[in-house]
Amino acid sequence: MRVAIAGAGAVGRSIAGELLENGHEVLLIDKAPTAISVERVPQAEWLLADACEITSLDEAALQRCNVVIAATGDDKVNLVVSLLAKTEYGVPRVVARVNNPKNEWLFNEAWGVDVAVSTPRLMSALVEEAVSVGDLVRLLRFSHGDANLVELTLPPESAMAGTAVGDVAWPQDTSLVTIIRGSRVLTPSPEETLEAGDELLFVATQAREEQLEDLLSVRRGPNES
């Protein structure tokens, strides 16, 4: 897979390093000469150019990329890069970094963004995820279909503890993606039984999040249906 990353700062270089380790081709683009540090990520391709200019993106052959990541520290730049990547070059997957949470509403399909990653929101979500049991935590927002990646740690008092995945009446527009149980990552087959303490990852629409949380967090009394 070929990936272009606009922004060769600490964030961009870290992403590049991870992708290279996983066997992908990576192109780092930055207009600041001081950001071009080939020795830090020698396996990557480097391009000194303004990623907001069509001529630069032509030089980067963006049409050959499977993914473009807009990872600069400037939200305006990330939006422009995302829009150009999607509309001018037809890049299948565009991921954009959101620096200011107030700008999150802009990072959507209209601007060519498939996945928006808000660093402040992600950090707060990870803190919540680490300390919350029974509360739904939103980890990541997907632009298409108003879907989010959400997590819930199943509490001991949940009515669903001990229930097989296939026997749960999951809300519409939700999908259980994986179960994390201790150090294991489990595929949620219909026969797999939910256990207290399981970290459950879902893709769900925002409209169904409250319903999903109620289903998993509340133990019904003997007179409740």
Side-chain angles (χ1 to χ4, degrees), residues 3-19:
V3 182
I5 302 174
V11 172
R13 293 195 305 270
S14 296
I15 297 170
E18 292 283 341
L19 291 171

Side-chain angles (χ1 to χ4, degrees), residues 5-21 26-30 32-46 69 71-72 97:
I5 302 174
V11 172
R13 293 195 305 270
S14 296
I15 297 170
E18 292 283 341
L19 291 171
L20 287 164
E21 285 185 13
V26 176
L27 169 65
L28 280 160
I29 308 170
D30 206 296
T34 54
I36 305 299
S37 305
V38 179
E39 68 282 356
R40 294 191 179 185
V41 194
Q43 305 96 328
E45 299 175 47
W46 290 78
I69 301 173
T72 78
R97 172 187 176 188

Side-chain angles (χ1 to χ4, degrees), residues 3 6 10 25 37 39 42 61 72 116 151 154 160 162 166 180-183 186-187 193 207 213 218:
V3 182
E25 298 178 41
S37 305
E39 68 282 356
T72 78
E151 184 271 350
L154 197 67
M160 295 299 107
I180 302 174
R181 184 174 295 155
S183 60
L186 307 175
T187 301
T193 300
E213 184 175 38
V218 178

Side-chain angles (χ1 to χ4, degrees), residues 1 10 14 43 53 63-64 70 82 98 104 108 111 135 141 145 153 156 158 168-170 181 192 197 200 208 214 218:
M1 182 172 68
S14 296
Q43 305 96 328
E53 295 183 358
Q63 69 278 2
R64 292 176 45 224
S82 298
V98 185
E104 281 186 34
N108 54 35
W111 279 94
D135 294 327
R141 179 179 62 82
T153 300
S158 171
V168 179
W170 301 108
R181 184 174 295 155
E192 187 65 50
L200 309 177
R208 299 293 181 178
D214 288 344
V218 178

